[in-house]
């Protein structure tokens, strides 16, 4: 709220893991222009039957979630069927875990995935902040 009062231009919230979850709970309330989450914790570790998505079903803020396909807190095969808001876009990283680190056999390095994530975030923000 204090930052919103001091910023004349667009405001973007971002967070990694639980920081992204908290940011997603504040995004609509604070009327930010965009939200970026990295490694979103869709459910507690080992408890895929307890999704934490209630507020994500009607989220209005344009959102990008950069997520590892094999994230222990949000694997693609489990998350894809969720009834999430159409304001949410995904950038899925093949073979990546919660820290967006790929398996060695993927042929990708963590540094490459960080660069790819940064580019996808930049592209997303350029699109939604016009």
């Amino acid at each position: 709220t204090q930052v919103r009062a001091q910023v004349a231009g667009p405001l973007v919230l971002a967070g990694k893991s639980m920081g992204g979850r908290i940011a997603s709970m504040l995004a609509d309330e604070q009327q930010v222009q965009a939200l970026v989450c990295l490694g979103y914790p869709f459910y507690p570790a080992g408890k895929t039957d307890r999704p934490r998505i209630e507020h994500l079903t009607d989220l209005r803020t344009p959102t990008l979630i950069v997520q590892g396909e094999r994230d222990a807190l949000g694997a693609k095969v489990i998350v894809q069927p969720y009834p999430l808001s159409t304001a949410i876009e995904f950038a899925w990283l093949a073979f990546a875990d919660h820290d967006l680190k790929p398996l060695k056999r993927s042929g990708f390095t963590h540094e490459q995935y960080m660069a790819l994530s940064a580019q996808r975030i930049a592209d997303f923000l350029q699109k939604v902040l016009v």
Side-chain angles (χ1 to χ4, degrees), residues 43 66-80 90-98 100-102 113 120:
Y43 44 81
V66 180
Q67 193 81 2
E69 288 187 356
R70 60 183 200 89
D71 188 327
L73 305 179
K76 184 176 182 179
V77 296
I78 296 169
V79 171
Q80 270 191 321
F90 280 89
W92 290 102
L93 299 176
F95 303 105
D97 64 11
H98 187 65
L100 309 179
K101 291 181 183 176
Y113 268 7
R120 290 195 177 163

Side-chain angles (χ1 to χ4, degrees), residues 11-127:
L11 189 59
V12 177
L13 287 180
K16 166 70 173 93
S17 195
M18 188 57 73
R21 182 168 183 240
I22 299 302
S24 71
M25 293 176 179
L26 297 171
D28 284 350
E29 175 187 323
Q30 294 300 317
Q31 299 178 341
V32 299
Q33 282 62 50
L35 170 66
V36 176
C37 302
L38 299 122
Y40 192 91
F42 283 96
Y43 44 81
K47 298 179 181 175
T48 59
D49 60 328
R50 294 185 30 209
R52 300 182 270 204
I53 60 168
E54 302 80 27
H55 67 288
L56 298 178
T57 59
D58 59 357
L59 185 69
R60 295 180 312 277
T61 303
T63 301
L64 175 66
I65 298 176
V66 180
Q67 193 81 2
E69 288 187 356
R70 60 183 200 89
D71 188 327
L73 305 179
K76 184 176 182 179
V77 296
I78 296 169
V79 171
Q80 270 191 321
Y82 288 165
L84 303 177
S85 165
T86 57
I88 299 172
E89 295 180 28
F90 280 89
W92 290 102
L93 299 176
F95 303 105
D97 64 11
H98 187 65
D99 292 324
L100 309 179
K101 291 181 183 176
L103 293 172
K104 288 184 182 188
R105 67 180 166 91
S106 73
F108 294 98
T109 66
H110 190 224
E111 291 76 21
Q112 288 173 312
Y113 268 7
M114 291 295 94
L116 176 60
S117 298
Q119 186 59 59
R120 290 195 177 163
I121 292 166
D123 293 345
F124 170 75
L125 293 176
Q126 186 174 29
K127 179 179 72 174

